[in-house]
């Protein structure tokens, strides 16, 4: 199915957010994922099912000042 | 007793008072407002100059670091003459020139948790302009304990983020977001930062602070505003409150 990751359209076989994050090569502990505009707790990644047109943003931690 | 605007101050802040939603009332709220700024680096310098210029009555600057030559590229209140000086004192000298009306206090050492809590209780808003997770989590904890709103900013490389955390049952806190990341060690020292990026984020923090202090419009409570300087894009995300959060639940 076709989804958007960080503003770019891509095709994925992943059925949930946990699978997607894994396939994208991100270690779960170092990023936060926003699903259609809302951050999802890590524990809910597996229950967050993907469907056509979903918008996922992978956000890296930022602490610089 | 609350201070009232003098005629000279009403003239000085005229362009703000002209705003239909702002008026004399909100300018007077700013005059009586006390802001506590943690960190006077890139974010702090950008933010402080707007707070002071816009008429915030009292500002406390906290930083134990000294100005380094490599700071001058983005920390705009520090100057060639103040290299080696404590950052609060250096910034205070510049801020006094912008607005001598503002009462600026400096704290040039790392505060203990207790001292920090006392300071927070004496202020109306905390502005987090620090550069590491441990301090950010402490600032968040103190914000919750003292029931003081917190405006948080961060910038690195070509990206920045801004968020506000208003202590309350329904609202997310900084740790509701940061616990999703875990510790990371990248700082501007290792990763670099493009000068205007940190200025933009610091200015957004000043805007948030003025709006929260004067209850003007909507703020970024329980939201994260992300700025991607490379593509020039802003994105806003919802941060839901974590009901298992160690800091706020």
């Amino acid at each position: 199915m076709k989804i958007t990751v960080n503003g770019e359209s891509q095709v994925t076989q992943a059925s949930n957010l946990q699978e997607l994050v894994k396939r994208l090569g991100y270690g779960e502990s170092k990023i936060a994922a926003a699903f259609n505009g809302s951050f999802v707790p890590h524990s809910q990644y597996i229950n967050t099912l993907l469907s056509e047109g979903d918008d996922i943003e992978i956000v890296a931690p930022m602490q610089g000042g | 007793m609350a201070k009232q605007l003098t005629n000279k101050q009403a003239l000085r802040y005229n362009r703000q008072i002209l705003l239909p939603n702002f008026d004399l009332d909100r300018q007077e709220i700013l005059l009586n407002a006390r802001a506590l700024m943690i960190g006077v680096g890139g974010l702090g310098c950008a933010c402080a100059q707007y707070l002071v210029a816009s008429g915030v009555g009292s500002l406390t600057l906290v930083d134990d670091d000294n100005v380094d030559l490599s700071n001058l590229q983005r920390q705009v209140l520090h100057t060639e003459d103040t290299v080696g000086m404590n950052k609060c004192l250096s910034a205070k000298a510049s801020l006094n020139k912008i607005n001598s009306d503002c009462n600026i206090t400096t704290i040039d050492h790392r505060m203990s948790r207790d001292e920090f809590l006392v300071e927070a209780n004496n202020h109306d808003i905390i502005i987090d302009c620090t550069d590491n997770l441990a301090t950010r989590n402490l600032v968040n904890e103190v914000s919750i304990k003292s029931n003081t709103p917190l405006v948080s900013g961060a910038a690195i490389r070509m990206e920045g983020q801004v968020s506000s955390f208003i202590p309350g049952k329904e609202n997310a806190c900084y740790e509701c977001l940061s616990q999703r990341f875990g510790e990371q060690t990248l700082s501007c020292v290792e990763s670099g930062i493009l000068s205007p990026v940190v200025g933009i984020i610091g200015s957004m923090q000043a805007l948030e602070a003025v709006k929260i202090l004067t209850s003007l419009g909507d703020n970024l409570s329980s939201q994260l505003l992300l700025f991607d300087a490379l593509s020039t894009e802003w994105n806003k995300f919802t941060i839901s409150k974590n009901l298992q959060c160690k800091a706020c639940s």
Side-chain angles (χ1 to χ4, degrees):
Chain A
M1 82 191 104
K2 219 177 190 179
I3 57 168
T4 305
V5 178
N6 290 349
E8 283 178 21
S9 177
Q10 62 170 265
V11 175
T12 184
Q13 309 297 321
S15 61
N16 63 50
L17 194 55
Q18 189 176 63
E19 243 181 279
L20 177 75
V21 166
K22 216 175 195 177
R23 278 169 192 257
L24 291 172
Y26 294 106
E28 266 191 47
S29 62
K30 295 193 189 75
I31 54 110
F35 176 73
N36 294 332
S38 293
F39 284 107
V40 179
H42 277 158
S43 59
Q44 292 304 310
Y45 281 11
I46 196 157
N47 299 323
T48 305
L49 303 180
L50 302 179
S51 43
E52 184 86 19
D54 279 339
D55 190 0
I56 287 93
E57 188 85 14
I58 306 291
V59 179
M62 221 183 283
Q63 272 120 36
Chain B
M1 207 178 110
K3 279 185 271 182
Q4 290 187 316
L5 287 166
T6 62
N7 286 340
K8 196 178 166 196
Q9 284 171 329
L11 280 174
R12 175 177 191 134
Y13 304 116
N14 170 269
R15 298 300 188 275
Q16 232 159 238
I17 293 167
L18 268 178
L19 292 167
N21 293 331
F22 211 81
D23 222 322
L24 282 164
D25 299 345
R26 286 195 161 85
Q27 192 64 54
E28 218 150 75
I29 292 171
L30 277 192
L31 182 69
N32 288 285
R34 302 157 300 174
L36 177 60
M37 176 172 284
I38 314 299
V40 194
L43 296 171
C45 284
C47 182
Q49 62 184 352
Y50 280 111
L51 294 182
V52 167
S54 67
V56 168
S58 305
L59 175 65
T60 301
L61 304 171
V62 187
D63 205 315
D64 69 343
D65 198 13
N66 294 335
V67 179
D68 182 84
L69 181 67
S70 66
N71 298 149
L72 301 185
Q73 158 258 11
R74 65 194 181 283
Q75 302 184 13
V76 294
L77 295 175
H78 309 313
T79 64
E80 291 173 8
D81 295 337
T82 63
V83 169
M85 189 188 282
N86 171 267
K87 285 188 178 177
C88 302
L89 297 177
S90 165
K92 183 180 176 175
S94 296
L95 293 168
N96 278 337
K97 285 184 200 162
I98 296 174
N99 191 347
S100 58
D101 268 357
C102 183
N103 177 26
I104 298 169
T105 309
T106 57
I107 297 176
D108 66 358
H109 59 269
R110 292 220 165 196
M111 294 187 289
S112 67
R113 190 177 255 95
D114 290 345
E115 185 185 1
F116 192 175
L117 200 54
V118 170
E119 286 299 332
N121 277 319
N122 286 323
H123 288 81
D124 304 304
I125 198 161
I126 305 172
I127 302 160
D128 186 348
C129 302
T130 60
D131 62 1
N132 65 86
L133 184 63
T135 311
R136 286 177 183 279
N137 283 337
L138 174 63
V139 172
N140 180 58
E141 183 193 320
V142 168
S143 151
I144 294 165
K145 279 196 179 141
S146 63
N147 199 25
T148 313
L150 165 64
V151 178
S152 175
I156 202 154
R157 296 179 292 258
M158 300 281 287
E159 300 160 81
Q161 62 183 44
V162 199
S163 201
S164 293
F165 301 101
I166 318 282
K169 271 188 185 163
E170 313 285 311
N171 298 339
C173 78
Y174 179 75
E175 238 182 284
C176 291
L177 174 72
S178 73
Q179 64 201 193
R180 291 185 186 150
F181 290 122
E183 181 65 84
Q184 63 109 36
T185 52
L186 287 183
S187 66
C188 296
V189 178
E190 296 120 34
S191 311
I193 172 79
L194 192 69
S195 180
V197 176
V198 78
I200 288 163
I201 300 300
S203 303
M204 286 299 296
Q205 286 181 276
L207 176 62
E208 277 291 294
V210 167
K211 286 172 67 183
I212 291 169
L213 286 169
T214 59
S215 312
L216 179 69
D218 300 321
N219 58 58
L220 289 169
S221 172
S222 295
Q223 292 184 306
L224 180 76
L225 183 65
L226 271 184
F227 177 53
D228 181 341
L230 215 49
S231 60
T232 320
E233 276 182 322
W234 295 88
N235 273 303
K236 204 153 77 172
F237 301 98
T238 304
I239 310 168
S240 52
K241 188 181 180 79
N242 180 352
L243 296 173
Q244 275 92 48
C245 178
K246 279 177 269 169
C248 71
S249 288

